Amino acid sequence: YRGALRGAIAQAARTLGIDRALDGPMTAGELARRIDVAPRRLGPLLHALVLEGFLARTGDRFSLVAPLPEVRLADTGWG
């Protein structure tokens, strides 16, 4: 279960382009503007990425610390 959740988190981040846009420490608001996503919607994903070890958080800034794996999950159904 945890592996599937980790994969879904990584896939969501890659789909949004977080790994390409986060070229240095940024706040959630700065990153949200860069990828054109509402900051309040992006926050939970960023915190999940921190918990999974892909991002680091220092104060209110996030930075990429591990590459996001290329994961292909089923788009519909139970996988």
Side-chain angles (χ1 to χ4, degrees):
Y1 174 76
R2 174 115 187 194
L5 182 58
R6 182 178 170 87
I9 291 166
Q11 183 179 10
R14 287 180 67 88
T15 298
L16 290 172
I18 289 173
D19 54 337
R20 292 182 305 278
L22 197 57
D23 56 5
M26 289 185 204
T27 65
E30 291 166 341
L31 181 57
R33 281 188 294 280
R34 187 172 279 194
I35 63 173
D36 196 29
V37 174
R40 66 182 175 83
R41 301 233 183 234
L42 184 60
L45 178 58
L46 295 178
H47 291 287
L49 289 163
V50 169
L51 289 172
E52 290 299 328
F54 296 119
L55 300 183
R57 182 178 177 194
T58 304
D60 64 346
R61 298 192 168 275
F62 296 88
S63 55
L64 192 65
V65 294
L68 296 172
E70 290 191 38
V71 177
R72 182 69 184 137
L73 301 175
D75 292 330
T76 61
W78 291 95

